Amino acid sequence: LHVERFRALLAQRYGWQYDDSKLEQLEDVLRRRIEATTQTSYESYVERLLSSSFSVAEGQALAERLTVPETYFFRNDDHFRALAALVLPERLRLRASEKRLRILSAGCASGEEAYSIAIQLRELMPELSSWDVSILGIDLNPVVLKKAREARYSTWSLRATSDERKHRWFHSEGSDFVVDPTVRQMVRFEERNLVSDDAHFWRSLGCDVVFCRNVLMYFTAERMAAVVHSLHDALAPDGYLFLGHAETLRNVSQEFHLCHTHETFYYQRRGPGDDVRSLPLVVRTTPTAAAVATTDAIESGTSAPWFDAIHSASARIASLTRGGPPTDAPRPMTTSDTPAQATSTTRQWDLAAVLEAMAVENFAGALEQLRALPDDAHQDPDALLVRAVLLTHSGQLVDAEEMCARVLAQDALSAGAHYVLALCREHAGDIAGARERNQTAVYLDASFAMPRLHLGLLARRAGDVVTALRELGQAAILLAREDASRVLLFGGGFSREALLRLCKQELRALGGEP
Ligand SMILES: C[S@@+](CC[C@H](N)C(=O)[O-])C[C@H]1O[C@@H](n2cnc3c(N)ncnc32)[C@H](O)[C@@H]1O
């Protein structure tokens, strides 16, 4: 019971989330902290943790024991490429008259990230002396911050740093590397809890760029959303936010545009009344007549464009009457993309009948059911997404793209909408666009099998065996545990088993292990 309460307090005060497998470790930390702070009981320790003066100092001690301080210079170099090629030049241009630049490394650990940004900036703008530049690193843990201020690192911290950079921006002391003073003077560090609702502090920052990487993945959903909101406040209009590779804002915030360049993803603060920015969405193409391929044709590994396969599946379904619904019976809710759970709890209708019609492959009937829903359903992102899927089944791709655009206008981070757009782009012959949309869907939802399957098929058609093997292998693993309603919605009329068979056949054809 005490440890449960301790866990809840850690989430509330510092954002950290621990599952049941960590309870033993938490119990151990709790016992040691009680001893170290000379408290007499669990209760008195937990009560004191609730008092704000104690919680700051104790948070630092707890951070030392309970957080992951792992970091290194130029971690995820794709972020630094986007920073150098696009983000910093844009911000420097925008700030040219005031000559002032503000950057935040939130959850900076021992400072490698903040110094990497400073180095990148120096390389881009050798003449920075007339500029007022400040890079602020904040972290809760004073031990890592001490190391950050010392700016002395081992070769391990520089494992992703080129020799050229090592020589240019560090000098060696024994076996260590010390950061050059011209870089150090641009960076300062502060002890601070990210879970602080000090709105004044965040708004005073006016940052051009915020890095908050590999921090929020350890947070509860609620605290993650609150911190992202603070980071939004910390950014100047149109400022940029970089998260870790395993972190996305899907189902967290609608306050940012998603950016995809340099083979990586990051975000840009949306202004008030700013529309969702996206790649060109509506493409004027006339769908070709349904291909003659059947399910068997896809399964035999002919690699027909996916849209044709879906289309022919729809045609096949229209002409054949088959038995009852597939074993993957749908759940009443639709996608896991629901942008705001609130919509599903307040609405007076649901999509069960539509999904039931889809489950028996009655796509025309499903569209009819959708049209019969009350007016408010016609704006709902779930309903719009289902309609987009149904439109792809009937070959109305321009309309399907328009529906996706409407979903994305409400929820720019809908993995499902990006995936359906990928299907439409593929059919329009825009393979780069299809790949881009599939990659976005995978980034937004790493457990989403269908865009991986498509990335694999596209790679195979392009002769990129390595990517094809990787994506199809992942797709096979994910398909086995994919949510049943998602298979129904996005599986193009195919069952989980048929899709798995396809994956395995493709893998075998490529010489991989199915
Ligand atoms: C894995 S490191 C990330 C370092 C760097 N951003 C990177 O990606 O390489 C996570 C850091 O977040 C800090 N952190 C965790 N919770 C925090 C909180 N509530 N407030 C401030 N810092 C926090 C930890 O102390 C740790 O140093």
Side-chain angles (χ1 to χ4, degrees):
L1 187 75
H2 299 304
V3 77
E4 293 276 356
R5 199 153 162 234
F6 182 54
R7 172 163 71 172
L9 257 178
L10 293 175
Q12 187 203 329
R13 294 262 145 165
Y14 311 112
W16 308 328
Q17 168 163 260
Y18 300 100
D19 61 26
D20 288 352
S21 68
K22 292 276 165 36
L23 281 177
E24 218 169 289
Q25 185 198 351
L26 288 186
E27 182 130 39
D28 186 51
V29 170
L30 179 57
R31 188 173 45 73
R32 285 167 194 269
R33 291 311 301 156
I34 289 169
E35 280 165 22
T37 55
T38 62
Q39 296 297 307
T40 49
S41 66
Y42 284 120
E43 280 81 4
S44 63
Y45 175 79
V46 166
E47 285 316 316
R48 282 205 62 188
L49 199 55
L50 284 169
S51 78
S52 54
S53 57
F54 190 68
S55 85
V56 174
E58 190 55 17
Q60 295 164 357
L62 290 168
E64 265 177 63
R65 287 155 186 83
L66 288 170
T67 63
V68 180
E70 166 62 12
T71 183
Y72 51 93
F73 280 90
F74 295 98
R75 181 178 199 172
N76 301 143
D77 79 309
D78 45 9
H79 281 166
F80 286 92
R81 279 188 285 118
L83 189 70
L86 192 148
V87 171
L88 287 176
E90 182 184 309
R91 297 309 299 178
L92 287 164
R93 245 190 335 271
L94 266 168
R95 300 287 202 187
S97 57
E98 59 197 296
K99 291 190 180 302
R100 180 182 180 279
L101 205 66
R102 294 285 176 270
I103 297 175
L104 176 70
S105 166
C108 62
S110 37
E112 288 89 329
E113 179 176 89
Y115 290 127
S116 301
I117 299 168
I119 290 172
Q120 190 73 79
L121 195 52
R122 283 234 161 253
E123 288 177 353
L124 205 64
M125 282 272 287
E127 256 324 302
L128 266 179
S129 49
S130 59
W131 279 70
D132 166 16
V133 178
S134 165
I135 300 170
L136 171 66
I138 60 179
D139 203 286
L140 188 64
N141 182 349
V143 175
V144 288
L145 287 179
K146 182 168 176 288
K147 195 170 171 228
R149 291 187 185 107
E150 285 165 5
R152 170 193 283 268
Y153 298 96
S154 69
T155 45
W156 184 240
S157 291
L158 288 147
R159 58 191 181 273
T161 306
S162 66
D163 284 344
E164 194 203 331
R165 274 185 167 146
K166 273 188 221 163
H167 289 127
R168 190 163 167 202
W169 301 113
F170 298 82
H171 65 265
S172 46
E173 279 187 18
S175 58
D176 290 340
F177 288 82
V178 179
V179 181
D180 189 84
T182 55
V183 174
R184 281 175 78 169
Q185 71 184 27
M186 296 164 67
V187 186
R188 66 193 172 87
F189 296 98
E190 222 177 273
E191 261 170 57
R192 192 171 271 278
N193 185 358
L194 282 171
V195 183
S196 114
D197 51 8
D198 182 353
H200 177 73
F201 166 75
W202 297 112
R203 292 208 183 112
S204 70
L205 293 176
C207 290
D208 296 278
V209 184
V210 170
F211 272 56
C212 183
R213 304 186 308 164
N214 308 300
V215 179
L216 298 175
M217 63 200 275
Y218 301 109
F219 278 33
T220 62
E222 193 191 333
R223 283 293 176 257
M224 178 175 178
V227 171
V228 166
H229 186 68
S230 300
L231 298 178
H232 173 268
D233 284 353
L235 278 165
D238 299 323
Y240 289 93
L241 171 67
F242 287 83
L243 299 178
H245 277 179
E247 297 157 330
T248 83
L249 293 186
R250 179 169 166 263
N251 294 339
V252 173
S253 171
Q254 294 290 336
E255 298 177 300
F256 296 85
H257 297 292
L258 177 64
C259 308
H260 186 186
T261 71
H262 303 86
E263 290 159 60
T264 195
F265 292 92
Y266 50 99
Y267 296 88
Q268 185 173 27
R269 183 185 147 148
R270 266 166 94 164
D274 207 358
D275 259 358
V276 169
R277 183 172 319 156
S278 213
L279 299 171
L281 287 174
V282 182
V283 187
R284 303 285 152 197
T285 54
T286 321
T288 55
V292 281
T294 63
T295 321
D296 295 337
I298 316 188
E299 289 181 13
S300 68
T302 54
S303 296
W306 188 252
F307 172 78
D308 290 345
I310 291 184
H311 198 95
S312 62
S314 311
R316 170 179 61 87
I317 288 149
S319 63
L320 300 173
T321 30
R322 283 223 325 233
T327 44
D328 280 352
R331 296 183 321 204
M333 257 315 294
T334 55
T335 72
S336 57
D337 280 313
T338 341
Q341 298 302 333
T343 48
S344 58
T345 51
T346 52
R347 64 195 183 196
Q348 301 295 308
W349 48 269
D350 66 41
L351 293 164
V354 179
L355 289 182
E356 269 159 34
M358 281 186 86
V360 291
E361 302 177 336
N362 176 6
F363 300 115
L367 262 177
E368 278 309 305
Q369 295 274 4
L370 261 182
R371 288 200 186 98
L373 289 174
D375 280 352
D376 61 322
H378 300 299
Q379 307 305 325
D380 178 87
D382 279 352
L384 287 168
L385 185 55
V386 174
R387 180 173 297 203
V389 170
L390 290 168
L391 288 167
T392 63
H393 280 284
S394 61
Q396 295 165 264
L397 291 172
V398 174
D399 294 343
E401 290 208 38
E402 264 168 16
M403 289 302 139
C404 290
R406 287 172 62 189
V407 175
L408 292 174
Q410 295 183 59
D411 175 15
L413 308 184
S414 162
H418 283 286
Y419 169 67
V420 176
L421 275 173
L423 296 183
C424 298
R425 297 285 74 229
E426 184 183 337
H427 179 64
D430 172 12
I431 300 305
R435 197 177 298 118
E436 147 93 36
R437 293 295 183 175
N438 277 319
Q439 284 167 343
T440 305
V442 167
Y443 163 73
L444 289 170
D445 183 350
S447 68
F448 195 178
M450 292 306 295
R452 288 208 186 264
L453 173 54
H454 282 273
L455 282 171
L457 296 175
L458 289 173
R460 187 184 169 199
R461 270 160 56 199
D464 177 356
V465 175
V466 175
T467 307
L469 283 172
R470 186 188 63 231
E471 296 298 344
L472 289 165
Q474 278 294 317
I477 294 167
L478 293 173
L479 266 172
R481 50 179 189 238
E482 180 63 286
D483 181 87
S485 56
R486 239 178 12 176
V487 174
L488 173 72
L489 195 59
F490 298 116
F494 299 98
S495 68
R496 184 194 307 276
E497 291 68 32
L499 292 166
L500 265 169
R501 256 197 317 279
L502 165 66
C503 260
K504 289 178 179 167
Q505 279 169 2
E506 292 280 335
L507 281 167
R508 257 195 301 276
L510 287 160
E513 276 297 308

